[in-house]
């Protein structure tokens, strides 16, 4: 297999490449002796497998010395976190004892309200973004807080650190603590200013950070606010993110707040917040009719299993959603989730799916499919399927060099193990010690360069 333009390259790498061309099980590819060419612009010029570099170099006129040999290290696409809360990084791994609504009031809102202070924001946001980059997350879909200045600062930090991201200023104008709430008017005004701020930071297609409309969830937003946000989303053609059907008490509350709506999904739909650019987190309690609405609208779900287990929210049935034709990606949902690592999300997605298999036949999500969800699945959910998610020529080089043999690493490899078994160990046991380099758009953003 060989594809792309061999006349354009700035760097060439040779190694074992693992990626998924789609979520379909036949599209998981582990290519030995793979070769990847990266252009000056940081896009993938060409890719091939089963390559004899010497022959290729003669045919295409490059020198063998120009090829970086990664040996038995893996080259894999960067991971895509479709749902995380940057301000919540500070308390990740604590507050593990309460369900969603109590957890928000007791732990989350008090911490998020601190981001009115730019010094706190700068310190915590820098730590949060550096952490996820080092774990191999090349694209993050972030919630900030209600504060406009700190949310702009998050955009600057992400740009500086070189991550690809969606960033949302959170909207909350009801059912929120006095110290952490906005007026409807200010919420809309600040959101519009934030969108314009992000859009002005660079041309479409070149910008690293995209603004995303972020009503926290239905209980936090009045009808007036949601209507205004739906209008802004259409006017600026920007994506939308929120939470949906995460927890039983929450679902009941939304039913009480909106007796005029058929379902939780219907509330977003009626406010023009459910379309092909929507990323809705959790969806644990969505009925099949609601999943059908997601499929029809082209809206995506961010499956956040680590959080669903930690907050005892419930278990999302990924297989059912995929069977209904719904786009699904994975998220860490820090700090509802106790780990910033998408590797943990991958494992918990497998565990979540396995719970539907107990005692019966079920085609549960295995490590290949969970890896696909964390890469191409996330790319589709974020509308970035043409730009990231795998090593298809023309896409951005958002990639990780993974060293399964690293000294002092989290697992050992034995001589009888083949490349796929080693990759499986990485998925199940690997961590940032194994991640040697992280590239976004061809630029090294974490680790050490091998190119
Ligand atoms: N629903 C509303 N806000 C939040 C949040 O911050 N985290 C989670 N997991 N669910 C939410
Ligand atoms: Fe969340």
């Amino acid at each position: 297999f060989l594809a792309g333009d061999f006349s354009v390259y700035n760097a060439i790498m040779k190694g074992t490449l693992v990626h998924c061309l789609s979520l379909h099980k036949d599209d998981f590819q582990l290519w030995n002796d793979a070769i990847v060419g990266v252009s000056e612009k940081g896009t993938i010029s060409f890719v091939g497998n089963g390559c004899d570099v010497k022959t290729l170099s003669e045919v295409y006129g490059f020198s063998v010395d120009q090829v970086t040999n990664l040996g038995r290290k893996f080259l894999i696409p960067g991971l895509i976190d479709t749902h995380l809360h940057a301000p919540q990084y500070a308390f990740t791994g604590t507050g593990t004892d309460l369900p969603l609504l109590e957890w928000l009031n007791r732990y989350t809102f008090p911490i998020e309200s601190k981001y009115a202070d730019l010094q706190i924001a700068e310190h915590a946001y820098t730590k949060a973004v550096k952490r996820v980059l080092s774990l191999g997350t090349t694209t993050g879909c972030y919630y900030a807080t209600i504060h406009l200045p700190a949310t702009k600062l998050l955009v600057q930090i992400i740009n500086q650190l070189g991550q690809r991201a969606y960033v949302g200023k959170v909207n909350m104008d009801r059912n929120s603590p006095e110290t952490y709430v906005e007026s409807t008017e200010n919420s809309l005004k600040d959101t519009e200013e934030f969108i314009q701020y992000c859009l002005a930071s660079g041309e479409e297609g070149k910008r690293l950070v995209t603004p995303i409309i972020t009503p926290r969830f239905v209980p936090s937003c009045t009808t007036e606010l949601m209507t205004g946000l739906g209008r802004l989303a259409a006017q600026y053609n920007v994506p939308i993110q929120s939470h949906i059907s995460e927890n039983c008490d929450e679902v009941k509350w939304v039913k009480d707040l909106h007796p005029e709506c058929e379902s939780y999904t219907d509330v977003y739909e009626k406010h023009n917040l459910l379309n092909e650019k929507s990323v809705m987190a959790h969806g644990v309690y969505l009925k099949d009719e609601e999943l059908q609405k997601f499929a029809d609208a082209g809206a995506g779900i961010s499956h956040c299993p680590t959080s669903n287990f930690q907050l005892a929210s419930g278990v999302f049935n990924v297989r059912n959603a995929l069977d209904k034709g719904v786009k699904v990606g994975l998220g860490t949902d820090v700090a509802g989730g106790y780990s910033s690592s998408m590797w943990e999300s991958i494992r918990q997605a497998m565990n979540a799916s396995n719970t539907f298999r107990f005692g019966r036949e079920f085609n549960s999500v295995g490590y290949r499919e969970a890896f696909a969800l964390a890469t191409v699945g996330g790319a589709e959910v974020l509308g970035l399927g043409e730009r990231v998610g795998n090593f298809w020529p023309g896409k951005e080089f958002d990639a990780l060099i993974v060293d399964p043999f690293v000294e002092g690493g989290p697992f050992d490899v034995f001589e009888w193990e083949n490349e796929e078994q080693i990759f499986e160990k990485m998925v199940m046991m690997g961590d940032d010690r194994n991640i040697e380099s992280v590239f976004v758009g061809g630029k090294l953003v974490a680790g050490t360069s091998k190119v």
Side-chain angles (χ1 to χ4, degrees):
F1 175 87
L2 278 178
D5 182 352
F6 281 80
S7 69
V8 192
Y9 57 84
N10 185 41
I12 304 174
M13 277 164 265
K14 172 189 178 312
T16 304
L17 189 153
V18 189
H19 68 164
C20 307
L21 299 177
S22 79
L23 287 182
H24 194 276
K25 68 175 169 38
D26 298 336
D27 283 342
F28 172 91
Q29 306 283 342
L30 189 150
W31 290 342
N32 291 312
D33 299 318
I35 187 165
V36 177
V38 181
S39 75
E40 197 87 50
K41 289 185 304 182
T43 55
I44 295 153
S45 312
F46 57 84
V47 65
N49 75 327
C51 296
D52 170 24
V53 171
K54 192 159 177 300
T55 310
L56 279 179
S57 69
E58 283 158 12
V59 175
Y60 293 105
F62 57 81
S63 143
V64 176
D65 306 337
Q66 289 173 283
V67 180
T68 305
N69 190 347
L70 301 176
R72 289 185 74 193
K73 292 171 191 170
F74 290 106
L75 192 58
I76 70 168
L79 304 176
I80 299 175
D81 189 340
T82 56
H83 183 84
L84 74 163
H85 298 261
Q88 296 177 18
Y89 173 69
F91 73 102
T92 310
T94 69
T96 56
D97 59 335
L98 292 176
L100 177 66
L101 302 176
E102 289 85 345
W103 174 86
L104 285 171
N105 286 321
R106 173 83 176 271
Y107 304 115
T108 308
F109 295 154
I111 294 278
E112 287 195 15
S113 68
K114 289 183 194 289
Y115 288 71
D117 180 335
L118 284 175
Q119 251 176 317
I120 289 183
E122 169 150 34
H123 176 71
Y125 282 160
T126 304
K127 293 277 184 200
V129 178
K130 282 190 175 168
R131 174 67 60 190
V132 292
L133 275 175
S134 73
L135 288 160
T137 300
T138 51
T139 301
C141 187
Y142 288 98
Y143 287 56
T145 60
I146 65 172
H147 313 102
L148 177 63
T151 307
K152 287 183 178 173
L153 185 60
L154 175 59
V155 172
Q156 288 165 24
I157 289 166
I158 291 170
N159 268 321
Q160 250 159 33
L161 294 173
Q163 195 183 33
R164 196 180 303 284
Y166 284 14
V167 175
K169 190 211 92 69
V170 171
N171 303 99
M172 301 165 69
D173 73 340
R174 68 169 168 181
N175 298 316
S176 305
E178 246 167 69
T179 50
Y180 193 50
V181 68
E182 349 160 71
S183 69
T184 311
E185 193 192 342
N186 283 341
S187 187
L188 289 170
K189 186 169 69 61
D190 288 354
T191 301
E192 183 158 17
E193 187 180 331
F194 178 68
I195 294 168
Q196 289 172 347
Y197 173 82
C198 285
L199 296 182
S201 77
E203 270 172 69
E204 182 76 48
K206 291 203 182 130
R207 251 186 287 113
L208 276 176
V209 178
T210 303
I212 182 163
I213 304 259
T214 308
R216 179 167 213 122
F217 66 158
V218 168
S220 304
C221 302
T222 59
T223 281
E224 193 190 350
L225 177 56
M226 286 191 280
T227 305
L229 293 174
R231 205 177 298 126
L232 286 176
Q235 185 185 337
Y236 289 95
N237 191 27
V238 287
I240 299 157
Q241 64 183 346
S242 196
H243 295 89
I244 194 166
S245 296
E246 174 176 2
N247 156 298
C248 293
D249 292 335
E250 172 215 10
V251 173
K252 210 155 124 269
W253 193 11
V254 170
K255 211 175 147 105
D256 292 343
L257 289 168
H258 292 277
E260 78 285 5
C261 291
E262 259 169 50
S263 63
Y264 204 153
T265 303
D266 195 33
V267 182
Y268 288 130
E269 197 181 30
K270 286 224 162 74
H271 292 90
N272 295 318
L273 294 168
L274 193 82
N275 60 38
E276 74 293 343
K277 290 190 167 210
S278 305
V279 185
M280 294 292 167
H282 305 285
V284 173
Y285 297 101
L286 292 174
K287 303 241 161 45
D288 282 355
E289 305 86 74
E290 294 181 272
L291 289 171
Q292 194 56 53
K293 280 188 193 251
F294 268 76
D296 293 344
I301 291 180
S302 173
H303 173 31
C304 304
T306 314
S307 169
N308 292 340
F309 285 127
Q310 175 179 311
L311 299 180
S313 298
V315 191
F316 176 66
N317 190 337
V318 192
R319 176 68 63 224
N320 185 45
L322 291 173
D323 285 348
K324 298 272 181 312
V326 179
K327 298 187 289 195
V328 181
L330 300 184
T332 57
D333 192 24
V334 150
Y338 54 77
S339 171
S340 293
S341 172
M342 280 295 292
W343 300 95
E344 187 65 25
S345 294
I346 288 173
R347 293 162 204 153
Q348 295 304 332
M350 296 166 63
N351 286 338
S353 183
N354 273 340
T355 65
F356 293 93
R357 188 170 76 172
F358 293 158
R360 63 195 134 128
E361 284 294 315
F362 182 79
N363 171 18
S364 60
V365 169
Y367 72 91
R368 286 175 165 206
E369 195 175 11
F371 173 66
L373 287 168
T375 53
V376 284
E380 286 298 328
V381 163
L382 298 183
L384 293 173
E386 304 275 302
R387 295 191 60 197
V388 296
N390 58 32
F391 291 104
W392 200 251
K395 287 194 181 187
E396 302 279 347
F397 186 71
D398 285 15
L400 317 180
I401 295 174
V402 167
D403 182 1
F405 303 93
V406 68
E407 192 76 37
F411 58 87
D412 295 294
V413 175
F414 294 86
E415 65 274 15
W416 58 81
E417 290 181 308
N418 65 27
E419 301 310 301
E420 172 129 16
Q421 287 165 318
I422 299 170
F423 178 71
E424 186 177 3
K425 280 193 166 175
M426 178 62 206
V427 171
M428 300 312 293
M429 295 184 278
D431 63 30
D432 53 343
R433 285 170 284 183
N434 301 104
I435 300 175
E436 187 171 276
S437 318
V438 181
F439 298 92
V440 174
K443 197 171 147 246
L444 184 80
V445 294
T448 52
S449 180
K450 287 286 152 180
V451 196

